[in-house]
Amino acid sequence: MSTSKIIRLGLIGAGRMGSFHGLSAARHIPGACLAAIADPTPGQAARLAAELDVQKVYTDPQQLLDDPDIDAVLIAAPARSHAELVISAARAGKGVFCEKPMAITLDEADRAIAAAADARVTLQVGFNRRFAKSFRTAHLDVVAGRIGTPQLLRSLTRDPALNNPAASPQWVIFLETLIHDFDTLRYLNPGAEAIEVFVMADALIAPAYKDKGFLDTAVVTIRFDNGAIATAEANFQAVYGYDVRGEVFGSAGMLTMGNVNDSDLLRYLANGVQADTQRMDTDLLRDAYVAELNHFVSCVRSGEKPLASGEDARAALAIARACIESFQQGTPVRVQGARS
């Protein structure tokens, strides 16, 4: 593809995350433009299109995929629709950026990867921490051997407030929240793969919903095939702000990443020390979200493989599916497809 061609992007899903990606696509990606928006919710696509001065609006995502003027799509629809949208977009010859998770089952993931490969289109998944400066630098430090051999790893996600648990799909804590942490741990332990998981989880914030399959607190222990042991943890109500952190302890040192603070400003007052904190993922990780879309457009243009690929999404999903099984059984579970 020409290095001077403007990449025309179509957005599928105009909710909270779709609106954020739409704004990034419209304002912060040199060499690309947001050309169309699709959302089946009445008025949703039109509202965002008016805000971002986008001319084409669809209520049927397939209409957007059939538009010959669209080069690539950003999928930010509900998670349970992701895999089929990836497959349809690939078959339409569009490059695909898909918010996590790319799929809910491993069969869906395999079909999505195969569709992109058959169509020879870019497939990138929204694992934004790979594009956050501290996590990216930590990954490169591990690759360079600066902390020796990774032995202990940790990744955590704590959301600032629990939304309506009644509207949350089953296993959301593994499939849509901790999926980030599973990918992060693989990223911070490059070349290694998870072989076994053990889960402890509960509904500590909204216990009335546990019987409905909703969990809001979890700790996952993961063993990797290079001997490293990792923990991933999540909670849906950190009252102090949106909290994303990581750690790698190795034979020659340690790396830590992430900071809940809004800035390095500290207030030393009569009642103690105080700092402002971020309350939204799109604030805490704003630069990473923008960077991942710029990377996607670059890959569409060059044909290079994205830093967060369909295969990476499948590997994180395999960990998540093993976590569901481990919770149900109360025992350690081997990750499907793990190397012997």
Side-chain angles (χ1 to χ4, degrees):
M1 187 175 288
S2 168
T3 56
S4 60
K5 173 180 164 55
I6 297 295
I7 303 298
R8 295 175 62 81
L9 300 171
L11 173 68
I12 299 176
R16 183 184 75 87
M17 188 52 66
S19 295
F20 181 82
H21 284 318
L23 177 63
S24 298
R27 308 272 168 81
H28 302 298
I29 307 179
C33 70
L34 183 61
I37 302 173
D39 193 302
T41 304
Q44 191 94 307
R47 172 198 58 78
L48 184 61
E51 180 182 328
L52 299 178
D53 195 26
V54 173
Q55 302 306 310
K56 293 185 177 182
V57 174
Y58 301 105
T59 53
D60 182 354
Q62 190 59 48
Q63 292 177 301
L64 184 150
L65 296 177
D66 290 339
D67 187 335
D69 291 335
I70 301 301
D71 300 304
V73 296
L74 312 176
I75 297 173
R80 270 59 183 171
S81 66
H82 285 180
E84 292 305 323
L85 286 170
V86 170
I87 292 166
S88 296
R91 288 174 177 168
K94 316 297 188 188
V96 185
F97 173 90
C98 182
E99 258 304 334
K100 56 75 197 168
M102 180 185 71
I104 298 301
T105 69
L106 294 177
D107 176 66
E108 285 182 345
D110 289 337
R111 291 193 298 116
I113 292 167
D118 290 345
R120 298 184 178 180
V121 296
T122 299
L123 173 56
Q124 181 177 329
V125 180
F127 290 131
N128 53 64
R129 288 174 214 183
R130 290 177 177 246
F131 298 89
K133 184 177 179 180
S134 61
F135 286 87
R136 178 66 179 161
T137 303
H139 166 82
L140 295 174
D141 278 1
V142 175
V143 171
R146 296 189 70 178
I147 61 158
T149 303
Q151 296 172 343
L152 294 170
L153 300 97
R154 184 185 185 213
S155 180
L156 66 84
T157 301
R158 297 174 185 164
D159 291 346
L162 176 64
N163 293 321
N164 179 14
S168 296
Q170 191 177 29
W171 311 124
V172 66
I173 198 165
F174 302 122
L175 295 171
E176 298 186 41
T177 299
L178 281 164
I179 198 90
H180 271 303
D181 301 276
F182 302 150
D183 180 70
T184 297
L185 292 169
R186 291 185 65 251
Y187 186 58
L188 295 175
N189 194 15
E193 292 294 348
I195 57 174
E196 187 180 72
V197 305
F198 178 65
V199 170
M200 293 184 70
D202 209 335
L204 302 181
I205 304 163
Y209 288 88
K210 184 176 181 180
D211 290 344
K212 299 176 176 64
F214 178 77
L215 303 170
D216 54 43
T217 306
V219 176
V220 180
T221 304
I222 305 170
R223 181 176 291 278
F224 284 85
D225 60 5
N226 66 344
I229 300 170
T231 55
E233 67 169 80
N235 181 279
F236 288 158
Q237 191 151 291
V239 296
Y240 54 85
Y242 191 73
D243 191 358
V244 168
R245 284 176 283 143
E247 180 180 292
V248 187
F249 173 87
S251 57
M254 181 176 73
L255 305 167
T256 66
M257 305 122 256
N259 191 334
V260 71
N261 288 358
D262 178 56
S263 72
D264 56 7
L265 172 67
L266 294 176
R267 298 183 183 90
Y268 294 81
L269 306 173
N271 60 347
V273 180
Q274 185 262 337
D276 294 328
T277 58
Q278 297 285 12
R279 301 287 162 157
M280 295 286 290
D281 49 359
T282 48
D283 291 328
L284 184 69
L285 295 163
R286 179 190 177 279
D287 291 346
Y289 279 116
V290 173
E292 69 180 356
L293 292 191
N294 274 279
H295 177 71
F296 170 64
V297 167
S298 175
C299 290
V300 169
R301 195 184 299 281
S302 68
E304 69 178 293
K305 192 177 183 70
L307 291 176
S309 67
E311 289 80 5
D312 291 318
R314 189 198 190 281
L317 178 62
I319 300 172
R321 298 302 315 186
C323 286
I324 294 170
E325 195 176 337
S326 175
F327 176 77
Q328 291 174 321
Q329 296 180 5
T331 61
V333 167
R334 190 165 181 82
V335 177
Q336 185 173 328
R339 295 187 290 245
S340 298

